[in-house]
Amino acid sequence: MGRLSIIAIILSFLSCNKDEIGPQYISCQEEQVEITTTLHSDLLIINEGNFGSGSGSISRYTPQTKTVNNNLFLQANGTPIGNIAQSAYQIGTKAYVVINNSNKIEVIDINNFSSLHTITGFNSPRSFLPINQNTAYVTDLYANSIQIVDLNSNTITGSISVNGWTEDLLLHNDSVYVCDMTNDNLLIIDPNNNSLVDSIKVGESPNSIIIDENSMIWIMCSGGFSSTNPQLIKFNPQTRTIETTYTFPNITESPGNLKINAKGDQLYFINSNIYKMSIYSNSINPTPIITNNGNKFYEIGISPITEEIFISDAIDYIQDGIIYRYSSSGNLIHHFNAGVIPGDFLFID
């Protein structure tokens, strides 16, 4: 049980009067449940949809009631969100949903899923990251540049030239770190003047990036199309050097979707199965915490509150996918249907 849940239970007991103890205890129990259930984040599931079909969609899952609502953007706006709903990021009551093949970002109200703005002019956008209150960066598959977006006017105001496909990115200590998939580099950008200031060679095809509790940056490198062994890189942003390289033993493996828990001490990733690894480990854990049992694990999300593990199963990439919800120790809690090719997970406040 997490610290927040323990605190909530203690508060629930303190809220009971003395004459409520005994036959009235059930009232305390009901109050306890009401308090603890507020300690879950609702989950938005960004369903990619089939390529070229325009069938991307958004689902919302409420953990405490185990209820899911699908096709929320379509219901609210009378039109599909677009083709290949790639990723999403929350700012306040807005979600910025990146639509890859439709070359746009939909800004939606997360309370009613109505479209507030549509940001256009992209080539093939991938990931969105605000770098301050006014500006965001958007990586791209084909543009050979990272787009600069004005969050006030909802327009592209500039770009940062790069040579190829950029994917995941993060902001740390006034620097932006970007996965350069084409050139196997970690790019470092100064957001004060939108300039590329450094490029560090990492493993082949860096696809995802996170930061741990010690301010160390971790980069997952898939190894490309079985051309090199995959690698997990631990990078020190202070010295701009690689501290540790963990090499996967099998060249045919293709790990990705690197995530971290809220505390910042446990890594999670997909490598056919689901793996969990302490940031203090000397090697990659060879035993999965969750095995796929023949399912096609496509994306993973870690609850920032409960550390529950959410996994999407794309099945055959045609029919509606399935979401599996596991405890942090790997026990199945629930599963349910989402949309076609459920991809990115967004835990909303």
Side-chain angles (χ1 to χ4, degrees):
M1 180 178 293
R3 183 181 63 179
L4 290 176
S5 297
I6 293 171
I7 293 173
I9 292 172
I10 292 172
L11 289 174
S12 72
F13 282 113
L14 292 177
S15 66
C16 297
N17 296 324
K18 288 182 180 180
D19 58 4
E20 290 178 330
I21 303 300
Q24 302 292 327
Y25 181 71
I26 186 65
S27 296
C28 291
Q29 185 71 15
E30 289 170 351
E31 187 172 357
Q32 170 190 327
V33 171
E34 180 181 352
I35 294 174
T36 57
T37 54
T38 63
L39 297 175
H40 290 80
S41 292
D42 271 15
L43 174 65
L44 295 190
I45 303 151
I46 310 303
N47 305 292
E48 293 183 6
N50 302 121
F51 184 82
S53 70
S55 58
S57 65
I58 299 176
S59 304
R60 182 169 186 160
Y61 177 70
T62 303
Q64 58 263 43
T65 58
K66 296 183 179 178
T67 55
V68 60
N69 293 289
N70 293 316
N71 296 307
L72 292 173
F73 186 91
L74 177 62
Q75 293 174 23
N77 300 280
T79 184
I81 197 168
N83 184 232
I84 310 299
Q86 184 69 37
S87 60
Y89 195 101
Q90 181 184 357
I91 303 178
T93 59
K94 300 175 183 178
Y96 291 74
V97 184
V98 179
I99 317 296
N100 177 257
N101 198 43
S102 295
N103 321 118
K104 66 177 182 177
I105 292 177
E106 284 288 349
V107 187
I108 65 173
D109 186 325
I110 60 174
N111 295 308
N112 57 28
F113 295 91
S114 62
S115 177
L116 302 174
H117 306 283
T118 302
I119 308 173
T120 59
F122 300 98
N123 191 323
S124 187
R126 301 291 294 176
S127 296
F128 172 99
L129 177 72
I131 59 170
N132 56 46
Q133 292 183 338
N134 302 310
T135 307
Y137 286 166
V138 180
T139 56
D140 200 281
L141 178 58
Y142 298 123
N144 290 318
S145 61
I146 296 167
Q147 309 309 308
I148 304 168
V149 172
D150 186 315
L151 297 175
N152 299 305
S153 64
N154 293 294
T155 58
I156 297 172
T157 57
S159 63
I160 302 167
S161 294
V162 295
N163 183 26
W165 171 9
T166 49
E167 188 68 8
D168 204 9
L169 69 171
L170 68 82
L171 174 67
H172 172 63
N173 280 354
D174 211 25
S175 290
V176 178
Y177 299 84
V178 185
C179 292
D180 176 359
M181 289 279 289
T182 299
N183 305 290
D184 309 328
N185 290 326
L186 177 66
L187 306 179
I188 303 178
I189 295 172
D190 182 350
N192 295 301
N193 54 22
N194 300 317
S195 64
L196 179 64
V197 296
D198 207 348
S199 178
I200 291 94
K201 190 67 67 176
V202 289
E204 186 171 355
S205 299
N207 57 55
S208 43
I209 183 170
I210 56 88
I211 191 162
D212 69 18
E213 65 179 355
N214 302 317
S215 297
M216 294 291 108
I217 292 174
W218 296 75
I219 308 110
M220 181 64 78
C221 306
S222 71
F225 295 100
S226 299
S227 55
T228 61
N229 287 66
Q231 294 178 328
L232 177 61
I233 304 292
K234 180 182 177 182
F235 177 80
N236 188 328
Q238 293 295 322
T239 60
R240 293 189 181 177
T241 58
I242 293 174
E243 289 213 341
T244 311
T245 299
Y246 301 81
T247 301
F248 290 78
N250 193 334
I251 197 172
T252 63
E253 295 177 301
S254 184
N257 295 143
L258 180 65
K259 301 292 169 60
I260 196 165
N261 62 344
K263 183 182 177 183
D265 65 344
Q266 296 291 330
L267 306 174
Y268 295 82
F269 59 89
I270 298 178
N271 190 18
S272 295
N273 301 304
I274 306 300
Y275 292 82
K276 181 179 181 178
M277 172 183 164
S278 168
I279 64 170
Y280 301 104
S281 175
N282 293 322
S283 62
I284 295 172
N285 185 354
T287 305
I289 185 174
I290 300 167
T291 55
N292 61 38
N293 294 318
N295 299 315
K296 291 184 174 67
F297 286 169
Y298 190 70
E299 182 68 63
I300 183 174
I302 308 300
S303 168
I305 297 175
T306 64
E307 207 172 313
E308 290 174 349
I309 306 165
F310 290 81
I311 309 165
S312 70
D313 178 1
I315 308 180
D316 57 4
Y317 303 94
I318 297 173
Q319 62 183 295
D320 287 346
I322 298 174
I323 307 299
Y324 295 95
R325 175 188 175 190
Y326 289 84
S327 69
S328 61
S329 58
N331 296 314
L332 182 64
I333 298 172
H334 188 215
H335 70 276
F336 56 91
N337 286 99
V340 177
I341 312 179
D344 198 26
F345 293 109
L346 178 62
F347 295 89
I348 58 176
D349 299 333

